[in-house]
C-alpha cells in the first residue's frame, strides 16, 4: 500500500514525490528527537520541525503571493517564480504538523517503525484532498486493520457510489453553469448571478463531501476507518454549528492547533475574539494564496465572533431556529462568492 500510494502520488506530482518523501523522513526523525528531549531543547527542536514542515508549503503556495504584494506596496520589481504547486501539500503539511505537535505534547508516542509512519502519511485515499487524518486516530489501526466482512464491504461500496453520484452527477453538472456565471458575472442578470451563487453553494458541498465519501469508502475496503468530514452542514442553525459540521477535519485542526494554542478563551474576552478571527484568517489563507480567501476567512471569523457574543441572548424557539438557519445559509452562500470568484475584484461584479 505504501508503494502504491507513492506511485499514486508520483502520477499526480511527478518529481515532487522526492519532496514528499523528504518531508516524511524528516518528520519521523524530528519526532524521535522531540520525544527524547525536554525543556528548552525539546521546544527548540519542535519549532524547527514545524518550520521545516511549513517551509515547503510557504514556498510553493505563497511565495508569489508575497512577491506580488511586496511589489505592489514597495513599488519593487521582483520577478515571480515559475512554480508548480505539489498536489495535496496543504493537506499533508497540516497532517505532518499535527503529528509533531501531538508527539511534543506527549499525547502520542513517536512511531517506532518508519514504515508505519510512512503508511499513515502516504495512505492514498486521503493523500491529495483530505480529509486531514490525525496520527492519534490512524497509527493504531496501521497493523490492526478491520477484518473484511460483508457488512464492511457493503458500507464501503455504498460510500464510494454515493461519493461518485455527488461528484459526477451533481457537482460536475452544477459546475457547468457556475463556471459560465463566475467567468463573466457582469454579463448576467442579478437573478442569474444569484442562481450561480446558489449553484456553487451546492457544487462545493457535493464535490468535497463526495470526495470525502469516496476516500472513506476506499479506506474501508482495505480495512481502515477514517473519520467523517461532513455532517449535513447546510442544516446548521448558526455559524458555529456550521463549522462543527463543515470540513470537520480542518475545523477541528484549526481549533486544536491554532485557536487553543493561541490562548482560546483563557486570556480574556477581547483576546478570545481576536484569536477566533486570527484562526479563521489562517483557515482562509490555507485555502489559497489570494486576498479573496483572506477576506472569506475574515468574514467567517467575524461571524463566529458575533454569534459567540449574542448566542446567550437568543431565544430557544423554533421560529428563531428557522431564522437562524436562513441567515446562516444566506451568509455562507454569500461568502462562497469570494471563495469562487476569479479574483477579489470580480467578486463585486454583477
Amino acid at each position: 500500500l505504501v508503494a502504491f500510494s507513492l506511485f499514486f502520488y508520483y502520477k499526480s506530482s511527478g518529481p515532487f514525490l522526492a519532496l514528499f518523501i523528504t518531508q516524511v523522513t524528516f518528520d519521523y526523525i524530528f519526532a524521535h528527537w522531540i520525544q527524547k528531549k525536554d525543556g528548552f531543547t525539546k521546544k527548540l527542536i519542535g519549532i524547527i520541525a514545524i518550520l521545516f514542515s511549513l517551509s515547503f508549503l510557504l514556498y510553493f503556495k505563497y511565495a508569489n503571493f508575497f512577491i506580488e504584494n511586496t511589489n505592489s506596496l514597495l513599488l519593487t520589481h521582483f520577478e515571480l517564480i515559475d512554480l508548480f504547486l505539489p498536489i495535496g501539500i496543504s493537506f499533508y503539511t497540516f497532517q505532518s504538523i499535527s503529528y509533531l505537535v501531538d508527539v511534543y505534547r506527549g499525547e502520542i508516542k513517536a512511531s517506532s517503525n518508519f514504515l508505519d509512519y510512512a503508511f499513515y502519511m502516504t495512505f492514498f485515499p486521503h493523500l491529495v484532498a483530505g480529509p486531514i487524518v490525525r496520527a492519534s486516530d490512524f497509527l493504531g489501526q496501521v497493523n490492526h486493520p478491520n477484518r473484511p466482512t460483508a457488512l464492511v464491504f457493503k458500507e464501503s461500496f455504498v460510500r464510494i457510489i454515493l461519493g461518485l453520484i455527488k461528484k459526477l452527477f451533481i457537482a460536475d453538472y452544477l459546475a457547468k453553469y457556475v463556471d459560465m456565471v463566475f467567468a463573466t458575472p457582469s454579463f448576467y442578470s442579478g437573478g442569474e448571478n444569484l442562481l450561480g451563487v446558489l449553484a456553487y453553494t451546492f457544487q462545493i458541498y457535493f464535490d468535497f463531501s463526495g470526495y470525502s465519501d469516496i476516500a472513506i469508502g476506499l479506506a474501508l475496503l482495505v480495512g481502515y476507518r477514517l473519520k467523517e468530514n461532513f455532517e449535513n452542514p447546510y442544516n446548521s442553525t448558526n455559524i458555529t454549528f456550521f463549522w462543527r459540521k463543515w470540513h470537520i477535519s480542518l475545523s477541528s485542526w484549526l481549533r486544536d492547533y491554532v485557536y487553543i494554542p493561541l490562548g482560546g478563551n483563557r486570556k480574556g474576552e477581547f483576546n478570545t475574539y481576536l484569536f477566533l478571527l486570527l484562526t479563521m484568517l489562517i483557515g482562509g489563507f490555507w485555502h489559497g494564496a489570494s486576498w479573496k480567501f483572506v477576506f472569506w476567512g475574515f468574514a467567517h471569523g467575524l461571524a463566529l465572533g458575533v454569534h459567540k457574543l449574542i448566542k446567550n441572548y437568543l431565544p430557544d424557539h423554533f421560529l428563531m431556529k428557522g431564522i437562524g438557519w436562513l441567515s446562516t445559509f444566506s451568509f455562507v452562500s454569500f461568502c462562497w462568492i469570494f471563495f469562487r470568484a476569479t479574483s477579489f475584484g470580480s467578486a463585486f461584479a454583477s
Side-chain angles (χ1 to χ4, degrees):
L1 279 171
V2 171
F4 175 81
S5 296
L6 292 174
F7 176 72
F8 176 79
Y9 189 78
Y10 171 76
K11 293 300 289 183
S12 66
S13 293
F16 289 102
L17 173 64
L19 183 75
F20 183 38
I21 293 174
T22 298
Q23 183 162 339
V24 171
T25 303
F26 273 85
D27 284 347
Y28 178 77
I29 296 169
F30 276 130
H32 279 274
W33 285 351
I34 291 169
Q35 188 168 260
K36 291 176 183 177
K37 303 297 181 179
D38 54 24
F40 175 77
T41 305
K42 180 178 182 178
K43 183 177 288 188
L44 180 62
I45 295 172
I47 292 171
I48 293 171
I50 291 172
L51 289 177
F52 178 82
S53 190
L54 267 177
S55 63
F56 299 111
L57 178 64
L58 291 173
Y59 176 71
F60 285 100
K61 192 169 184 176
Y62 301 107
N64 282 331
F65 173 81
F66 290 117
I67 291 172
E68 286 177 346
N69 283 279
T70 299
N71 287 341
S72 178
L73 288 172
L74 303 180
L75 301 179
T76 52
H77 301 282
F78 296 112
E79 291 187 6
L80 298 181
I81 308 169
D82 185 16
L83 292 174
F84 173 83
L85 183 65
I87 302 296
I89 190 170
S90 297
F91 289 95
Y92 69 67
T93 297
F94 270 25
Q95 196 163 293
S96 160
I97 291 171
S98 69
Y99 170 70
L100 294 168
V101 172
D102 286 352
V103 170
Y104 177 84
R105 292 172 175 172
E107 295 178 2
I108 61 170
K109 291 185 177 180
S111 179
S112 59
N113 186 304
F114 176 74
L115 198 60
D116 288 353
Y117 181 67
F119 182 83
Y120 156 67
M121 284 295 291
T122 65
F123 190 44
F124 73 93
H126 67 79
L127 177 56
V128 298
I132 301 167
V133 178
R134 305 279 187 94
S136 56
D137 296 325
F138 193 83
L139 278 176
Q141 300 184 59
V142 169
N143 294 304
H144 302 91
N146 295 320
R147 292 177 61 84
T149 65
L151 188 62
V152 170
F153 275 120
K154 287 177 183 177
E155 183 182 356
S156 63
F157 279 117
V158 167
R159 292 303 292 264
I160 292 170
I161 292 169
L162 179 63
L164 288 171
I165 291 172
K166 285 181 176 180
K167 168 65 178 160
L168 300 177
F169 291 95
I170 303 177
D172 285 1
Y173 180 77
L174 291 172
K176 295 177 181 179
Y177 181 73
V178 171
D179 290 345
M180 288 191 302
V181 173
F182 277 87
T184 53
S186 58
F187 181 77
Y188 296 92
S189 67
E192 289 168 332
N193 273 275
L194 177 60
L195 285 175
V197 172
L198 292 174
Y200 183 67
T201 297
F202 288 101
Q203 180 205 338
I204 191 171
Y205 167 72
F206 284 113
D207 196 312
F208 199 9
S209 69
Y211 181 89
S212 294
D213 284 335
I214 295 170
I216 291 168
L218 286 172
L220 278 173
L221 272 180
V222 290
Y224 300 95
R225 187 171 290 276
L226 306 181
K227 286 194 170 183
E228 295 295 334
N229 207 23
F230 292 88
E231 291 183 1
N232 299 316
Y234 290 153
N235 286 343
S236 304
T237 54
N238 59 63
I239 195 65
T240 302
F241 284 169
F242 173 80
W243 275 104
R244 290 175 185 171
K245 297 178 176 186
W246 177 272
H247 202 344
I248 299 168
S249 63
L250 174 64
S251 58
S252 61
W253 193 98
L254 290 170
R255 179 196 66 207
D256 295 341
Y257 300 102
V258 179
Y259 177 68
I260 292 176
L262 281 173
N265 58 4
R266 306 184 306 276
K267 295 188 176 181
E269 187 175 2
F270 174 79
N271 283 332
T272 297
Y273 294 111
L274 177 61
F275 298 152
L276 195 58
L277 190 61
L278 287 173
T279 299
M280 292 310 298
L281 282 171
I282 291 170
F285 199 42
W286 176 83
H287 281 90
S290 170
W291 286 110
K292 63 177 188 168
F293 293 111
V294 174
F295 180 82
W296 177 82
F298 173 80
H300 275 279
L302 201 62
L304 285 166
V306 169
H307 178 253
K308 190 176 186 68
L309 185 66
I310 67 172
K311 65 179 181 179
N312 293 330
Y313 303 99
L314 298 175
D316 187 15
H317 189 272
F318 77 93
L319 182 61
M320 183 55 67
K321 289 182 178 179
I323 295 171
W325 170 81
L326 182 61
S327 59
T328 301
F329 181 79
S330 300
F331 173 77
V332 169
S333 299
F334 168 76
C335 288
W336 285 136
I337 297 172
F338 297 91
F339 200 91
R340 176 58 181 82
T342 54
S343 67
F344 188 72
S346 70
F348 296 94
S350 61

